[in-house]
Amino acid sequence: MPNTSSLPHRVEILAFANAQILDVTGPAQVFATANDLTAATGSHLYEIALVSLGGDVVTSSGLVLRAEAAATHADAPGTLIVSGGDGVNAARCDKALIDWIRQRAASAERIASVCSGALLLAEAGLLDGRRAVTHWGRCAEMRARYPSVLLEPDSIFIRDDAIWTSAGVTAGIDLALAMLEADHGRPLSLAVARELVVFLKRPGGQAQFSAALSLQTADETFADLHAWIAAHLDRDLTLTTLAAQAGMSLRTFCRRYRIGTGRTPADGVELIRLDGARRLLEEGASVTRTAARCGFRSTETMRRAFLRHMNVSPNSYRERFRR
């Protein structure tokens, strides 16, 4: 239900050395634009604060962001957003930072992460037993380090009760728009999306940026096989062929592949075909030529695979991502 309170909702965005600048500025701009669009009514919907434990923040791009001292704020935030970026690896080992996240989250109305900031929430124990997402490139690490997190790699963002997580970088904008809609309704969220020239709800999932996403979390036993499949997409990749290439009996191969990847060999081949098709479409290849080169039996077979795994058609994907 939209928020009808006349008091501004405090949004704290936590940053640290080598944070991704768009993880911070993307969500901040959503809330700032909401303030701009409603200023004529005398409303001030959001109080936005960038906070850190170490003063001003030098982001991974080299730009410096002026931050408030996180430790001095006594008032509980309405929303706490934890940014991500290259600095996450060091931040995860900063006990004071993790303790602050844990303590601040306990008083916040809702907690969120952008991109790899989810690893900091997980380190603080806030994602145990919860559905969550992070940047597709960090999914394998997330799954290995924090097995109690219910990772959903393809989502753009996920809300699990009062905890929100989002995928890579610009997904923080998607998350902030969804928060704005929850706070003040769809019309304002749509107006902000139009002002920023972004989707209110982005079509497709994170897999549209890496069709073989789920295989990146797989047992490395099959890394060489996956590379070989990617180099021979136009071949008839039967189970017998794959087992021989992996150096296993057919029965052993099928069993170990499912254990190692969580998928059947046929599913794995389809995902790798999709990844190859994605790259060709980005380069401008026709749908017909792409289907043939990537081993799909027909353009219709490829279309169904795109819709099933990426929720977009090959034509739509080509129009959106063609270089």
Side-chain angles (χ1 to χ4, degrees):
M1 180 178 294
N3 184 2
T4 57
S5 172
S6 60
L7 297 176
H9 178 102
R10 181 174 173 84
V11 178
E12 287 184 356
I13 304 175
L14 175 68
F16 39 82
N18 289 317
Q20 161 65 249
I21 193 169
L22 198 55
D23 287 6
V24 174
T25 58
Q29 190 58 58
V30 169
F31 298 119
T33 300
N35 284 341
D36 293 342
L37 294 182
T38 58
T41 67
S43 299
H44 186 69
L45 304 181
Y46 295 98
E47 175 193 353
I48 307 160
L50 173 62
V51 300
S52 81
L53 267 62
D56 293 350
V57 174
V58 181
T59 63
S60 58
S61 66
L63 296 179
V64 180
L65 297 177
R66 177 158 293 178
E68 300 178 14
T72 64
H73 291 293
D75 295 337
T79 298
L80 171 65
I81 299 177
V82 177
S83 60
D86 293 341
V88 160
N89 294 332
R92 187 171 49 207
C93 300
D94 185 337
K95 184 178 184 301
L97 181 69
I98 299 303
D99 286 346
W100 185 89
I101 291 173
R102 188 182 297 114
Q103 293 165 9
R104 199 64 170 155
S107 61
E109 295 175 24
R110 64 186 171 199
I111 307 99
S113 63
V114 181
C115 193
S116 54
L119 277 75
L120 300 183
L121 295 188
E123 185 69 25
L126 299 174
L127 299 183
D128 290 350
R130 292 187 179 274
R131 298 167 52 239
V133 65
T134 189
H135 186 285
W136 62 264
R138 305 296 290 264
C139 284
E141 179 184 2
M142 182 85 160
R143 198 183 296 278
R145 284 182 176 271
Y146 309 106
S148 61
V149 177
L150 306 180
L151 190 66
E152 297 184 8
D154 186 38
S155 299
I156 296 295
F157 68 85
I158 289 174
R159 177 182 183 179
D160 188 328
D161 196 14
I163 297 185
W164 305 55
T165 53
S166 61
V169 194
T170 58
I173 296 174
D174 301 74
L175 177 143
L177 285 168
M179 287 181 166
L180 176 59
E181 182 173 351
D183 292 346
H184 296 286
R186 184 178 180 84
L188 180 57
S189 186
L190 180 58
V192 170
R194 286 172 173 165
E195 184 70 17
L196 298 181
V197 198
V198 296
F199 287 111
L200 176 59
K201 185 174 182 181
R202 194 186 313 203
Q206 191 175 195
Q208 64 189 284
F209 307 105
S210 177
L213 179 64
S214 61
L215 294 179
Q216 294 180 10
T217 67
D219 187 332
E220 291 186 359
T221 299
F222 297 103
D224 289 343
L225 175 64
H226 291 154
W228 182 86
I229 292 171
H232 299 85
L233 292 179
D234 58 347
R235 291 186 56 172
D236 184 14
L237 300 174
T238 64
L239 283 175
T240 301
T241 299
L242 298 177
Q245 185 63 32
M248 301 177 189
S249 69
L250 183 59
R251 183 176 179 180
T252 298
F253 170 68
C254 290
R255 177 177 56 82
R256 290 188 58 186
Y257 192 90
R258 181 177 280 280
I259 292 172
T261 69
R263 295 182 177 275
T264 66
D267 289 339
V269 169
E270 183 170 80
L271 286 172
I272 297 171
R273 290 194 196 279
L274 280 170
D275 213 39
R278 177 181 61 80
R279 288 193 293 271
L280 287 176
L281 293 172
E282 289 171 4
E283 293 168 2
S286 70
V287 171
T288 300
R289 180 168 174 259
T290 297
R293 288 188 59 183
C294 293
F296 290 100
R297 292 191 302 273
S298 66
T299 57
E300 177 58 23
T301 300
M302 186 172 77
R303 188 186 73 83
R304 289 198 299 268
F306 263 77
L307 291 174
R308 182 164 56 251
H309 291 284
M310 298 194 285
N311 201 30
V312 293
S313 70
N315 278 321
S316 294
Y317 186 92
R318 185 175 184 272
E319 291 170 5
R320 188 179 306 158
F321 294 110
R322 184 178 180 182
R323 297 167 189 163

